[in-house]
Amino acid sequence: MTTNSVADMARRLTEAANKMMKGEVKATLPFDPFAIAQATSDFALGLAARPQDLVQVQMAAAQQWSDYWSSAFAGRPGDIPRDRRFAAKEWQEDPYYRGLRDAYLLASEQMRGMISIGDGSDAKRSMVKFLLDQYLNAVSPSNYALTNPDVVKRIKETNGGNLVQGFAHFLEDLSSGKGIVQRRTDPNAFEKGKTIAATPGEVVFENELFQLIQYTPTTPKVAAEPLLYVPPLVNRYYMIDLVPRQSLVKWLVDEGRTVFVVSWVNPTEAHKDEGVEDYVVDGVVEAITVAKKRAGAKPDLFAFCLGGTLVAIALAWLAANKRGGEVNSATLIGSLVDFADMRDWSAFVHEGHLTALEDHLEQQGYIDSLELQRLFAAMRANDLIWSSVVNHYLLDKPAPPSDLLYWFEDGARIPAAFLKSYNRDLLLNNKLAEPAGFAVRGTPIDLAAIKTPLLVIALKDDHVSALSAVYRGARDLGADFLLGGSGHNAGVINPPAANKHGYWTRPDKPETVEQWLAGANRHEGSWWPWWTEWLSARGSARQVAARTITDGIEPAPGSYAKAP
């Protein structure tokens, strides 16, 4: 620790205080704190009304703690948890750290078990579970300087300088108005259009909602049917076009596919009245029309997360308007069409929260990308919040450059009208699950009317679109089903050369995903080649001359993807 370090910390503290005094750090409440208080109160009262169950829980807990202390005093190591927070060897080999870890994990397991005996609606139970998870994640011994062996070693190495610099980082983040735990990495590690989102292509169409990118062919001949990608609104499209070695777009182009991609506009207040139906008709359907005209063939759609929900709605709208034959096939990746079981996300699908969010939206016309990132980060707090607390504030270590995290942090806004309709009609009231339950510009739609060949891809460790819910949607749609390894984002980016994650296939679809998985075949490597074989089997098998682009508006990734 040096004099310069102390001076730097003092400077940042002064800057933070000045910004707060000027009102540059603002707090917003896009949720209802009274709904949270009511949920916790109801849960506590429900527990108090079931004394017999509480006595059984206490007796089981007493036995578990007795076993814990017996093992601790005997020096018997427990099972090694699959938890990255406790990866250092000291958590297993040192009795002090091992005891801390095992006590924390046991207490966490017992507290989470209490949720199952409480009363209340699914939304209230999910709210209590979410709050408990946030608390348990926060109090992990890995998050504190003197109970984390890596931090203790770092303190010795730097004579405490890491904590001084870490506190300076905290002050800087606090004064930014963007919240704490901002990821510290080289800001120049990636540049859109050069090192990321860099597959050559041209913007060939645009309207107020999206730009359509067509990619430059790299093979003399291409498949007759073009591919059209529809991304979610919350992030930019280029999750499928990260650095070249991880780019799904580049891989598809090199495989002889014509690829079109929708790049949504980053909405401003001027877009506040653009709703779900506008994004379906003026977005997805318009992109289908343009891609079909330019390629001279019906496109194969593929979409991710919310983009897949929009594609399903668009296909049902086309079917209702006798236009279902305009699409050759559709692949929905990590997408929901039935929102009956939202799992942890149901904590936010509550009348009080939705009303508070709508009031919040009225003030600015959209939900800000930073607010959305905070929500997604909270759902994976250990990976996206607390690991950064340890690395940036305790260890004072910069994060290595990550193209996927760069993309994640390059968020986008969502218009007020879209979010209101999506939250109430789809999430809260689950209208897509009803025949003619949801209407698009006056036309009732029914997902059962879709005749387009469909493939639904779920991700095994998906924390956003639960595996069971995606599988249920595949059964409801009569779609083929594939299961990929890894999580919501990383499971999609699975280039064959990496030979990671694996995937599962099975031709039939029994009632539950557990039954499906029990009889599924596991394959090593990437699901990308399997998917393109699925596409080829449903195409014309024709090859045409590569489609050159002579009328581009601007080079990819386009101004919409680059706009702040």
Side-chain angles (χ1 to χ4, degrees):
M1 183 169 61
T2 66
T3 303
N4 288 337
S5 298
V6 176
D8 182 58
M9 183 181 69
R11 176 184 59 79
R12 297 195 202 188
L13 180 59
T14 302
E15 289 176 355
N18 288 338
K19 287 186 177 182
M20 292 180 199
M21 292 293 289
K22 292 176 182 177
E24 295 181 27
V25 180
K26 299 178 181 179
T28 59
L29 285 178
F31 61 89
D32 182 7
F34 296 104
I36 296 174
Q38 184 66 51
T40 54
S41 174
D42 290 350
F43 180 79
L45 291 174
L47 285 180
R50 303 175 67 175
Q52 290 182 329
D53 291 335
L54 280 176
V55 169
Q56 291 180 351
V57 168
Q58 289 171 343
M59 291 177 63
Q63 181 61 54
Q64 289 170 331
W65 282 110
S66 176
D67 294 341
Y68 162 79
W69 284 113
S70 296
S71 297
F73 284 124
R76 294 193 300 269
D79 295 333
I80 301 175
R82 296 182 60 185
D83 193 322
R84 283 181 288 185
R85 294 175 296 177
F86 306 113
K89 64 179 182 180
E90 287 85 355
W91 290 112
Q92 181 64 20
E93 298 175 0
D94 187 296
Y96 168 70
Y97 290 115
R98 185 174 67 238
L100 284 175
R101 180 200 68 186
D102 292 347
Y104 164 76
L105 292 174
L106 175 57
S108 298
E109 180 184 358
Q110 292 174 341
M111 295 181 73
R112 289 190 173 105
M114 294 282 287
I115 302 294
S116 62
I117 67 172
D119 294 323
S121 65
D122 288 343
K124 288 185 177 181
R125 190 192 300 268
S126 294
M127 259 190 274
V128 174
K129 181 181 182 299
F130 174 77
L131 292 173
L132 176 60
D133 283 343
Q134 299 311 302
Y135 168 75
L136 292 175
N137 291 334
V139 300
S140 169
S142 60
N143 296 334
Y144 299 92
L146 298 183
T147 53
N148 183 320
D150 290 328
V151 179
V152 171
K153 285 189 290 187
R154 183 71 169 160
I155 291 172
K156 293 177 181 178
E157 291 171 0
T158 66
N159 292 321
N162 57 304
L163 298 182
V164 174
Q165 285 299 318
F167 188 55
H169 295 328
F170 171 78
L171 295 175
E172 184 178 19
D173 290 349
L174 190 64
S175 66
S176 71
K178 297 180 180 180
I180 62 171
V181 199
Q182 295 176 46
R183 187 170 174 271
R184 286 183 152 70
T185 189
D186 180 2
N188 301 314
F190 304 103
E191 183 178 353
K192 282 183 274 190
K194 292 188 177 180
T195 57
I196 196 169
T199 302
E202 295 283 335
V203 173
V204 295
F205 174 85
E206 70 178 36
N207 62 20
E208 64 178 3
L209 288 183
F210 75 98
Q211 289 185 322
L212 187 68
I213 300 170
Q214 181 178 347
Y215 288 92
T216 305
T218 60
T219 56
K221 289 192 174 293
V222 295
E225 291 77 22
L227 278 165
L228 171 61
Y229 175 65
V230 180
L233 275 64
V234 66
N235 290 103
R236 315 299 177 117
Y237 79 87
Y238 63 87
M239 185 188 80
I240 64 165
D241 191 25
L242 299 175
V243 295
R245 64 180 173 80
Q246 297 225 91
S247 172
L248 174 56
V249 170
K250 183 180 186 302
W251 185 83
L252 288 168
V253 171
D254 290 344
E255 287 287 305
R257 299 280 176 174
T258 300
V259 180
F260 292 90
V261 163
V262 169
S263 176
W264 298 116
V265 71
N266 195 12
T268 65
E269 189 176 1
H271 299 88
K272 66 179 296 184
D273 296 324
E274 302 288 350
V276 171
E277 56 187 350
D278 300 304
Y279 274 82
V280 168
V281 178
D282 299 333
V284 179
V285 174
E286 184 69 16
I288 292 169
T289 302
V290 175
K292 179 173 177 286
K293 181 179 179 181
R294 291 186 66 87
K298 298 184 293 185
D300 291 306
L301 304 186
F302 69 112
F304 172 60
C305 193
L306 173 56
T309 307
L310 294 178
V311 163
I313 297 172
L315 292 175
W317 184 83
L318 287 170
N321 286 278
K322 312 301 182 186
R323 296 174 56 187
E326 295 183 17
V327 175
N328 187 62
S329 75
T331 300
L332 314 182
I333 308 170
S335 302
L336 297 178
V337 294
D338 184 341
F339 298 88
D341 181 10
M342 293 288 293
R343 299 294 175 93
D344 293 346
W345 291 94
S346 59
F348 308 102
V349 185
H350 181 278
E351 180 64 38
H353 291 325
L354 297 186
T355 300
L357 177 59
E358 288 168 0
D359 292 341
H360 179 69
L361 291 171
E362 280 300 315
Q363 296 181 9
Q364 58 188 21
Y366 54 81
I367 188 75
D368 189 74
S369 60
L370 184 62
E371 294 170 314
L372 291 167
Q373 286 175 23
R374 288 171 179 166
L375 175 60
F376 281 95
M379 299 303 292
R380 291 183 59 200
N382 286 329
D383 292 333
L384 297 176
I385 296 177
W386 292 109
S387 64
S388 292
V389 167
V390 173
N391 286 326
H392 302 156
Y393 301 158
L394 300 182
L395 293 172
D396 183 31
K397 288 186 176 180
S402 166
D403 54 351
L404 188 59
L405 282 177
Y406 176 93
W407 162 83
F408 176 78
E409 293 168 357
D410 187 22
R413 299 177 285 270
I414 298 180
F418 183 100
L419 205 56
K420 289 178 183 178
S421 176
Y422 179 76
N423 284 345
R424 288 199 174 275
D425 293 334
L426 303 188
L427 301 189
L428 182 63
N429 296 316
N430 199 23
K431 289 186 176 181
L432 283 184
E434 306 170 14
F438 186 73
V440 176
R441 292 189 175 172
T443 300
I445 64 167
D446 184 358
L447 298 185
I450 298 173
K451 303 303 181 186
T452 306
L454 297 174
L455 171 65
V456 168
I457 299 177
L459 290 317
K460 197 169 188 295
D461 300 320
D462 198 327
H463 68 287
V464 176
S465 303
L467 169 56
S468 59
V470 177
Y471 180 77
R472 186 173 61 250
R475 280 173 50 88
D476 293 343
L477 290 169
D480 293 336
F481 183 74
L482 170 78
L483 177 62
S486 195
H488 188 67
N489 300 324
V492 179
I493 309 309
N494 189 14
N499 196 32
K500 292 171 59 178
H501 304 325
Y503 62 98
W504 291 258
T505 59
R506 178 175 172 174
D508 63 328
K509 295 188 296 297
E511 184 174 352
T512 69
V513 72
E514 290 80 14
Q515 293 171 336
W516 183 91
L517 193 54
N521 295 314
R522 188 185 189 280
H523 311 270
E524 297 297 329
S526 171
W527 55 264
W528 292 2
W530 186 97
W531 173 51
T532 54
E533 288 180 10
W534 185 92
L535 291 172
S536 296
R538 284 146 189 84
S540 64
R542 291 190 303 114
Q543 293 276 304
V544 300
R547 300 173 172 109
T548 57
I549 308 168
T550 59
D551 56 349
I553 298 172
E554 61 177 326
S559 54
Y560 283 18
K562 292 182 178 180

